[in-house]
Amino acid sequence: MSDTQKTATLTIDDKSYELPIHSPTVGPDVLDIRKLYGQAGVFTYDPGFTSTAACDSTITYIDGEKGELLHRGYPIDQLAGKSHYLEVCYLLLYGELPSAAELETFETTITRHTMIHEQMHNFFRGFRRDAHPMATMVGVVGAMSAFYHDSTDISDPLQREVASHRLIAKMPTIAAMAYKYSIGQPFVYPRNDLDYAANFLHMCFAVPAEEYHVDPILSRAMDRIFTLHADHEQNASTSTVRLASSSGANPFACIAAGIACLWGPAHGGANQACLEMLKEIGTPDRIPEFIARAKDKNDPFRLMGFGHRVYKNFDPRATVMKQSADEVLDLLGVEDNPILATAKELERAALADPYFAEKKLFPNVDFYSGIILEAMGFPTSMFTPIFALSRTVGWISQWKEQLSDPGHKIGRPRQLYLGETARDYVDIESR
């Protein structure tokens, strides 16, 4: 954030107040209202914080009008097309792309932290088999603080580093175990000879009775899903992690809070909602009926997976994800899966319809990631845990950045109170 050079004037009644204006490296200017209450005795009112910058950050930048997403300045399409998830993790954590030696060391560190404490297996057995995997992940990740005491001191840079590596490394293991537990299969231990994405697929789909080989096309598609969901600026779950962190909570509690927030259908559940919509449509021949409903302002039906709250033109992640979706569907086929056949036809019909082009309702990353995960054989209940797995590095990067800011303080949003004014208690006999 640049030094303050410009100011804005706020006039309330007959008094005026000068508000500093900060100019970012890219993006709109920001009014600094930190001293507004002390000087003028008023708060600002911004439900959803849609016009409020709660922090400054150097990690991710989004321009919704241009359809631009940058991680440390690098466009997401370049990272997804030329890089891989653990290299992007390094970039988000440390600010620069690693050298070959740095990347090798980082990958080795993550690979050798993938196992979880054996006693943590007991936590899974405390859940019902039909428990949602996100419920299991919230509990298990929060419980990590009971097992890894040597990485909970947030004032120690080394402990913060160890906690960061542990969370990135162990989250695929925890997510895969949550899946295995939900379907009644034995846990599969991680393997150090597999890369990050292939290891996750192996832990999800391998069984002790036979060998399981991860197809490189599926592994690459999984890696892209991880990469494209790694961070997304100050969204609801990231803000939740930052707010939890502001109280001094340990890293495992903060990430568990982020997982809990991500569970909401308006946030991490979007690709699950997309698949449920495709199941509702059922078969390709019913698509015209549902497209007509989507155009009808009086019909509550919405096409899930089209358009995006942030991106006003197109989702820059969707182009790369579409390529992976096409590769996966070519590999696995759609002939025997009516959901995937419906998805392909819905994509074609929507892109060919002038109404959707005019409204800029293009397929987004949730549409394509849902198709890929469905084709791979994941149930919809696993879509959000995979999102949480992917986003962990973004949460940790934001967490580390906040803790390194000497000016950070505990979060305390204000409110517009509309309740009763002070009144006296009335004895129950007189009510």
Side-chain angles (χ1 to χ4, degrees), residues 292-326:
R293 289 182 59 188
K295 295 178 182 180
D296 185 352
K297 295 180 180 179
N298 298 318
D299 193 314
F301 174 78
R302 290 177 54 216
L303 272 185
M304 304 302 295
F306 288 77
H308 196 279
R309 178 182 177 183
V310 173
Y311 301 110
K312 305 307 179 186
N313 283 301
F314 66 94
D315 185 340
R317 303 167 296 173
T319 303
V320 181
M321 195 66 87
K322 172 177 167 51
Q323 179 184 344
S324 284
D326 290 339

Coordinates of all heavy atoms in Angstrom, one line a residue, residues 292-326:
A292 N -35.6 -22.6 -20.6 CA -36.7 -21.7 -20.7 C -37.1 -21.2 -19.2 O -37.4 -20.0 -19.0 CB -37.9 -22.3 -21.3
R293 N -37.0 -22.1 -18.3 CA -37.3 -21.7 -16.9 C -36.2 -20.7 -16.4 O -36.5 -19.8 -15.6 CB -37.3 -23.0 -16.0 CG -38.5 -23.9 -16.2 CD -38.5 -25.1 -15.3 NE -38.4 -24.6 -13.9 CZ -38.2 -25.4 -12.8 NH1 -38.0 -26.7 -13.0 NH2 -38.2 -25.0 -11.6
A294 N -35.0 -20.9 -16.8 CA -33.9 -20.0 -16.3 C -34.1 -18.6 -16.8 O -33.7 -17.7 -16.2 CB -32.5 -20.6 -16.8
K295 N -34.7 -18.5 -18.0 CA -35.0 -17.2 -18.6 C -36.2 -16.5 -18.0 O -36.4 -15.3 -18.2 CB -35.2 -17.3 -20.1 CG -34.0 -17.8 -20.9 CD -34.3 -17.9 -22.4 CE -33.1 -18.5 -23.2 NZ -33.5 -18.6 -24.6
D296 N -37.1 -17.3 -17.4 CA -38.3 -16.8 -16.8 C -38.1 -16.1 -15.5 O -37.7 -16.8 -14.5 CB -39.3 -17.9 -16.7 CG -40.7 -17.5 -16.2 OD1 -40.9 -16.3 -15.9 OD2 -41.6 -18.3 -16.2
K297 N -38.3 -14.8 -15.4 CA -38.0 -14.1 -14.2 C -38.9 -14.5 -13.0 O -38.6 -14.3 -11.9 CB -38.2 -12.6 -14.5 CG -37.2 -12.0 -15.4 CD -37.4 -10.5 -15.6 CE -36.4 -9.9 -16.6 NZ -36.6 -8.4 -16.8
N298 N -40.1 -15.1 -13.4 CA -41.0 -15.5 -12.3 C -40.8 -16.9 -11.8 O -41.5 -17.3 -10.9 CB -42.5 -15.3 -12.9 CG -42.8 -13.9 -13.2 OD1 -42.5 -13.0 -12.5 ND2 -43.5 -13.7 -14.4
D299 N -39.8 -17.6 -12.4 CA -39.5 -18.9 -12.0 C -38.3 -18.9 -11.1 O -37.2 -18.3 -11.5 CB -39.2 -19.8 -13.3 CG -39.2 -21.3 -12.9 OD1 -38.5 -21.7 -11.9 OD2 -39.8 -22.1 -13.7
P300 N -38.3 -19.5 -9.9 CA -37.2 -19.5 -9.0 C -36.0 -20.3 -9.5 O -34.9 -20.2 -8.9 CB -37.7 -20.0 -7.7 CG -38.9 -20.9 -8.1 CD -39.5 -20.2 -9.4
F301 N -36.1 -21.1 -10.5 CA -35.1 -22.0 -11.0 C -33.9 -21.2 -11.5 O -34.1 -20.2 -12.2 CB -35.6 -22.9 -12.1 CG -34.5 -23.8 -12.7 CD1 -34.0 -24.9 -12.0 CD2 -33.9 -23.4 -13.9 CE1 -33.0 -25.6 -12.6 CE2 -32.9 -24.2 -14.5 CZ -32.4 -25.3 -13.8
R302 N -32.7 -21.6 -11.1 CA -31.5 -20.9 -11.6 C -30.5 -22.0 -12.2 O -30.4 -23.1 -11.6 CB -30.7 -20.2 -10.5 CG -31.5 -18.9 -10.0 CD -30.7 -18.3 -8.8 NE -29.3 -18.1 -9.2 CZ -28.3 -18.2 -8.3 NH1 -28.5 -18.6 -7.1 NH2 -27.1 -17.9 -8.7
L303 N -29.8 -21.6 -13.2 CA -28.8 -22.5 -13.8 C -27.6 -22.4 -12.9 O -26.8 -21.4 -12.9 CB -28.5 -22.1 -15.2 CG -29.3 -22.7 -16.3 CD1 -28.7 -22.3 -17.7 CD2 -29.4 -24.2 -16.2
M304 N -27.3 -23.4 -12.1 CA -26.1 -23.4 -11.2 C -24.9 -23.7 -12.1 O -24.9 -24.5 -13.0 CB -26.3 -24.5 -10.1 CG -27.5 -24.3 -9.3 SD -27.6 -22.7 -8.5 CE -26.2 -22.9 -7.4
G305 N -23.8 -23.1 -11.7 CA -22.5 -23.3 -12.5 C -22.4 -22.3 -13.6 O -21.4 -22.5 -14.4
F306 N -23.3 -21.3 -13.7 CA -23.2 -20.4 -14.8 C -23.1 -19.0 -14.2 O -23.9 -18.6 -13.3 CB -24.3 -20.5 -15.8 CG -24.3 -21.7 -16.6 CD1 -24.7 -22.9 -16.1 CD2 -23.9 -21.6 -17.9 CE1 -24.7 -24.1 -16.9 CE2 -23.9 -22.7 -18.8 CZ -24.3 -24.0 -18.2
G307 N -22.1 -18.2 -14.7 CA -21.9 -16.8 -14.1 C -21.2 -16.9 -12.8 O -21.0 -18.0 -12.3
H308 N -20.8 -15.8 -12.2 CA -20.1 -15.8 -11.0 C -20.3 -14.4 -10.3 O -20.4 -13.4 -11.0 CB -18.6 -16.0 -11.2 CG -17.8 -16.4 -10.0 ND1 -17.4 -15.4 -9.1 CD2 -17.4 -17.6 -9.5 CE1 -16.7 -16.0 -8.1 NE2 -16.7 -17.3 -8.3
R309 N -20.4 -14.4 -9.0 CA -20.7 -13.2 -8.3 C -19.5 -12.2 -8.5 O -19.7 -11.0 -8.6 CB -20.8 -13.5 -6.8 CG -21.0 -12.2 -5.9 CD -21.1 -12.5 -4.5 NE -21.2 -11.3 -3.7 CZ -21.2 -11.3 -2.3 NH1 -21.1 -12.4 -1.7 NH2 -21.3 -10.2 -1.7
V310 N -18.3 -12.7 -8.6 CA -17.1 -11.8 -8.7 C -16.8 -11.4 -10.1 O -16.6 -10.3 -10.5 CB -15.9 -12.4 -8.0 CG1 -14.6 -11.6 -8.3 CG2 -16.1 -12.6 -6.5
Y311 N -16.8 -12.5 -11.0 CA -16.4 -12.3 -12.4 C -17.7 -11.8 -13.2 O -18.6 -12.6 -13.4 CB -15.8 -13.5 -13.0 CG -14.6 -14.0 -12.2 CD1 -14.6 -15.1 -11.4 CD2 -13.4 -13.3 -12.3 CE1 -13.5 -15.6 -10.7 CE2 -12.3 -13.7 -11.5 CZ -12.4 -14.8 -10.8 OH -11.3 -15.2 -10.1
K312 N -17.6 -10.6 -13.8 CA -18.7 -10.1 -14.5 C -18.7 -10.5 -16.0 O -19.7 -10.3 -16.7 CB -18.7 -8.6 -14.4 CG -18.7 -8.1 -12.9 CD -19.8 -8.7 -12.1 CE -19.8 -8.2 -10.7 NZ -20.8 -8.9 -9.8
N313 N -17.6 -10.9 -16.5 CA -17.5 -11.3 -17.9 C -17.3 -12.9 -18.0 O -18.2 -13.6 -18.5 CB -16.4 -10.6 -18.6 CG -16.7 -9.2 -19.0 OD1 -17.7 -9.0 -19.7 ND2 -16.0 -8.2 -18.5
F314 N -16.2 -13.3 -17.5 CA -16.0 -14.8 -17.6 C -15.1 -15.2 -16.4 O -14.3 -14.3 -15.9 CB -15.4 -15.2 -18.9 CG -14.0 -14.7 -19.1 CD1 -12.9 -15.5 -18.8 CD2 -13.8 -13.5 -19.7 CE1 -11.6 -15.0 -19.0 CE2 -12.5 -13.0 -19.9 CZ -11.4 -13.7 -19.6
D315 N -15.1 -16.4 -16.0 CA -14.3 -16.9 -14.9 C -13.0 -17.4 -15.6 O -13.0 -18.3 -16.4 CB -15.0 -18.1 -14.2 CG -14.3 -18.6 -13.0 OD1 -13.1 -18.4 -12.9 OD2 -14.9 -19.3 -12.2
P316 N -11.9 -16.7 -15.3 CA -10.6 -17.1 -15.9 C -10.2 -18.5 -15.6 O -9.4 -19.1 -16.4 CB -9.6 -16.1 -15.4 CG -10.2 -15.6 -14.1 CD -11.7 -15.7 -14.2
R317 N -10.7 -19.1 -14.6 CA -10.3 -20.5 -14.2 C -11.1 -21.5 -15.1 O -10.6 -22.6 -15.2 CB -10.6 -20.7 -12.7 CG -9.9 -19.8 -11.8 CD -10.5 -19.8 -10.4 NE -11.9 -19.4 -10.4 CZ -12.7 -19.5 -9.3 NH1 -12.2 -20.0 -8.2 NH2 -13.9 -19.1 -9.3
A318 N -12.2 -21.0 -15.6 CA -13.1 -22.0 -16.3 C -12.5 -22.5 -17.6 O -12.7 -23.6 -18.0 CB -14.4 -21.3 -16.6
T319 N -11.7 -21.7 -18.3 CA -11.1 -22.1 -19.6 C -10.2 -23.3 -19.4 O -10.2 -24.2 -20.2 CB -10.3 -20.9 -20.2 OG1 -11.2 -19.8 -20.4 CG2 -9.7 -21.3 -21.6
V320 N -9.3 -23.2 -18.4 CA -8.4 -24.3 -18.1 C -9.2 -25.5 -17.6 O -8.9 -26.6 -18.0 CB -7.4 -23.8 -17.0 CG1 -6.4 -25.0 -16.8 CG2 -6.6 -22.6 -17.5
M321 N -10.2 -25.3 -16.8 CA -11.0 -26.4 -16.3 C -11.7 -27.1 -17.4 O -11.9 -28.3 -17.3 CB -11.9 -25.9 -15.2 CG -12.5 -27.0 -14.3 SD -11.2 -27.8 -13.3 CE -11.2 -26.8 -11.9
K322 N -12.2 -26.3 -18.3 CA -12.9 -27.0 -19.5 C -12.0 -27.9 -20.2 O -12.4 -29.0 -20.6 CB -13.5 -25.9 -20.4 CG -14.1 -26.5 -21.7 CD -14.7 -25.4 -22.6 CE -15.0 -25.9 -24.0 NZ -15.8 -27.1 -24.0
Q323 N -10.8 -27.5 -20.4 CA -9.8 -28.4 -21.1 C -9.6 -29.7 -20.4 O -9.7 -30.8 -21.0 CB -8.4 -27.6 -21.2 CG -7.4 -28.5 -21.9 CD -6.0 -27.8 -21.9 OE1 -5.9 -26.6 -21.7 NE2 -5.0 -28.5 -22.1
S324 N -9.5 -29.6 -19.0 CA -9.4 -30.8 -18.2 C -10.6 -31.7 -18.3 O -10.6 -32.9 -18.4 CB -9.1 -30.5 -16.8 OG -7.7 -30.1 -16.6
A325 N -11.8 -31.0 -18.3 CA -13.1 -31.7 -18.3 C -13.2 -32.5 -19.6 O -13.6 -33.7 -19.7 CB -14.2 -30.8 -18.2
D326 N -12.8 -31.8 -20.7 CA -12.8 -32.5 -22.0 C -11.9 -33.7 -22.1 O -12.2 -34.8 -22.6 CB -12.5 -31.5 -23.2 CG -13.5 -30.5 -23.4 OD1 -14.7 -30.7 -23.0 OD2 -13.2 -29.4 -24.0

